[in-house]
Amino acid sequence: MRDDPSVLHVDLDAFFAAVEQRDKPSLRGKPVVVGGIGLRGVVSTASYEARRYGVRSAMSTAEARSRCPHAAYLGPRFEVYRETSRAVMAEMRALSPLVEPLSVDEAFVDLSASGISGLTVDDVRAIADDLKAAIRKVSGGLTASVGAGTSKLIAKIASDLDKPDGVVVVPPGTEAEFLAPMQVTVIPGVGPATAQRLSMAGVRTVADLQQLDEDELIRQVGSAHGSSLHRLATAADDRPVVSDRETKSVSVEDTFETDLIDRALLTAISDRMAHRVAERLRKAQLSGRTVTVKTRMHDFTTHTRSSTLAGPTDDARVIARVARRLLEESEIGGGIRLLGVGVSSLADWIQDDLFTEDEHAANPIEVVDLPTRARDQRGYYPGQDVAHPDHGRGWVWGSGLGRVTVRFETADTPPGPVRTFSVDDPALTKVPQPGADADGEPETDHNGSGD
């Protein structure tokens, strides 16, 4: 274990929503919810103003709307978030060469890698304050919460204790005392099922967990899990900060407005997703061996089926063919509300002759262009960036019934005027976002919650 609190966990506060408030002056200080905006959508991030009404990430958009109907509900702009994330991560790497990103909005920073030793609590707090100021400057005013300690476990827990815009440094030697009063679910790996099993044994807080010996924990939750919990309950965490975490999978998924039971339509959607996954693999110069199809049923039960190839591929035809077979083996009774296709077991090389060209020719995969979702003829969605030659840059406030309403403002202007146009007005144009598909729909991104 370390002798000084040299591990930082930096977490951008309500990241996606904060970026939207930064770029849309009229939304500053008001409830903002980013995520799926349809009836079957899911909240990705809620601003702190929306959280006061009980809105949280992973909540259905329908429930969020019932709790906070006056919030601004916006579709995500992933490339804008990535651009801001890159600037923030650069500030962390300027502080230390050893930075481990966990997602677009959080990362561990190892201060010892910068050659600094003998850090006191006050030293680390001053470093964290300086880093937060640098992040605020390069991000256009976003805030971050920072936790610091002798391990990744302590730093990550600490960063969540004084949100937003806080700093918590846990002094060395006080880790077990720091954890003791917290609910046992604060320990990684203790989800609802494990918490319930521990509760039956009288364990509700980390202090309770600390009182159990390793053998008793193993009897309660199994050998591998019990040993890990025993170590983490006393903050015995020596995991190193690892830079340049490898991408573990590439996937695309979508939640549908209504449950789908038409196999032909689901197959067409699967094919389209397979081609998107292949495009992302090629862009990242990666290939993969394991193809996975994920289905979430009408009753919210989720199933995954996977198949591993003899060698890695980035060929859309191969991915689509395997995904089709996995989907055919999946039960769709009652309807599917979510479908996803992904590739894992990634490599940086391709097995070119996994299938021969003759086999491809004999088993062609047809990609069906699906109709755009029923928003309007131009596919506008709330929050989307648009431009007009007379009014300048703005964002979509709402659309429907053949009209689109735009508020013309940017991060550098005061709150702007609202204007309504016909959706086929040639003067109104979308500002392209690299993360969007051909019909303007933002693709699902799995690099972070933005929360």
Side-chain angles (χ1 to χ4, degrees), residues 259-403:
D259 298 327
L260 300 184
I261 59 174
D262 185 334
R263 280 199 178 271
L265 178 59
L266 287 166
T267 298
I269 295 172
S270 170
D271 289 347
R272 192 183 193 204
M273 288 179 170
H275 279 253
R276 287 184 183 173
V277 169
E279 289 171 1
R280 291 185 178 186
L281 286 170
R282 289 193 294 271
K283 184 177 180 180
Q285 297 183 321
L286 294 171
S287 60
R289 294 180 59 221
T290 301
V291 178
T292 299
V293 167
K294 172 182 174 182
T295 55
R296 181 167 296 148
M297 312 306 291
H298 66 287
D299 60 357
F300 284 85
T301 57
T302 301
H303 306 280
T304 58
R305 289 181 178 270
S306 300
S307 180
T308 299
L309 305 169
T313 185
D314 67 351
D315 192 317
R317 298 168 295 183
V318 175
I319 298 169
R321 183 189 282 60
V322 176
R324 276 190 173 197
R325 177 171 58 80
L326 295 172
L327 183 60
E328 288 171 357
E329 297 169 355
S330 300
E331 175 60 45
I332 65 171
I336 289 178
R337 61 177 282 115
L338 176 147
L339 178 66
V341 174
V343 172
S344 57
S345 302
L346 301 182
D348 57 2
W349 58 281
I350 314 296
Q351 181 75 35
D352 289 327
D353 61 349
L354 183 60
F355 290 102
T356 66
E357 289 301 315
D358 289 342
E359 183 176 358
H360 282 315
N363 299 279
I365 295 292
E366 180 184 1
V367 180
V368 180
D369 288 330
L370 301 174
T372 59
R373 292 188 182 144
R375 291 193 189 90
D376 54 56
Q377 296 92 320
R378 293 285 298 277
Y380 289 112
Y381 64 89
Q384 185 177 28
D385 293 321
V386 294
H388 191 279
D390 297 328
H391 303 287
R393 293 282 294 267
W395 57 279
V396 175
W397 203 24
S399 63
L401 301 177
R403 296 186 295 272

Side-chain angles (χ1 to χ4, degrees), residues 10-21:
V10 183
D11 191 3
L12 294 168
D13 298 317
F15 180 46
F16 292 175
V19 170
E20 298 302 337
Q21 289 176 319

Side-chain angles (χ1 to χ4, degrees), residues 230-253:
H230 185 261
R231 292 194 306 273
L232 294 179
T234 55
D237 176 23
D238 59 357
R239 294 173 298 162
V241 177
V242 181
S243 63
D244 299 323
R245 282 162 47 100
E246 294 183 357
T247 301
K248 291 182 170 57
S249 65
V250 175
S251 62
V252 172
E253 67 181 40

Side-chain angles (χ1 to χ4, degrees), residues 20 45 58 60 83 122 150 154 268 298 313 318 334-335 349 358 422 429 436:
E20 298 302 337
T45 311
S60 72
E83 182 181 5
D122 289 340
T150 56
I154 295 299
H298 66 287
T313 185
V318 175
W349 58 281
D358 289 342
S422 169
T429 58

Side-chain angles (χ1 to χ4, degrees), residues 13-152:
D13 298 317
F15 180 46
F16 292 175
V19 170
E20 298 302 337
Q21 289 176 319
R22 178 197 68 186
D23 293 347
K24 300 172 172 62
S26 60
L27 298 183
R28 293 171 190 169
K30 297 180 181 179
V32 174
V33 178
V34 179
I37 55 180
L39 295 176
R40 309 299 293 273
V42 175
V43 174
S44 177
T45 311
S47 69
Y48 285 94
E49 295 85 358
R51 295 182 192 192
R52 297 192 187 107
Y53 295 86
V55 180
R56 53 177 173 76
S57 61
M59 174 183 286
S60 72
T61 301
E63 182 177 352
R65 288 184 187 274
S66 69
R67 290 173 179 259
C68 190
H70 59 289
Y73 288 84
L74 308 177
R77 299 181 301 148
F78 289 122
E79 185 56 31
V80 177
Y81 308 148
R82 292 188 192 105
E83 182 181 5
T84 302
S85 174
R86 285 190 286 267
V88 170
M89 295 294 174
E91 290 301 317
M92 297 186 204
R93 293 189 176 95
L95 176 61
S96 169
L98 193 48
V99 174
E100 180 179 344
L102 301 180
S103 64
V104 293
D105 62 340
E106 61 176 324
F108 288 112
V109 181
D110 190 341
L111 298 178
S112 67
S114 61
I116 306 174
S117 60
L119 289 165
T120 67
V121 169
D122 289 340
D123 292 336
V124 175
R125 185 172 287 111
I127 291 171
D129 285 336
D130 288 345
L131 176 60
K132 278 155 44 70
I135 289 172
R136 187 178 294 109
K137 182 177 180 180
V138 300
S139 67
L142 302 190
T143 64
S145 296
V146 179
T150 56
S151 68
K152 293 166 77 171

Side-chain angles (χ1 to χ4, degrees), residues 133-208:
I135 289 172
R136 187 178 294 109
K137 182 177 180 180
V138 300
S139 67
L142 302 190
T143 64
S145 296
V146 179
T150 56
S151 68
K152 293 166 77 171
L153 171 71
I154 295 299
K156 193 169 192 332
I157 292 173
S159 69
D160 201 40
L161 296 183
D162 189 21
K163 278 184 161 292
D165 201 22
V167 175
V168 175
V169 182
V170 180
T174 68
E175 294 86 356
E177 179 183 356
F178 168 74
L179 292 175
M182 299 181 180
Q183 293 296 305
V184 71
T185 49
V186 77
I187 301 295
V190 181
T194 302
Q196 183 177 11
R197 183 174 295 183
L198 290 172
S199 178
M200 295 173 64
V203 175
R204 294 176 176 82
T205 67
V206 179
D208 297 332

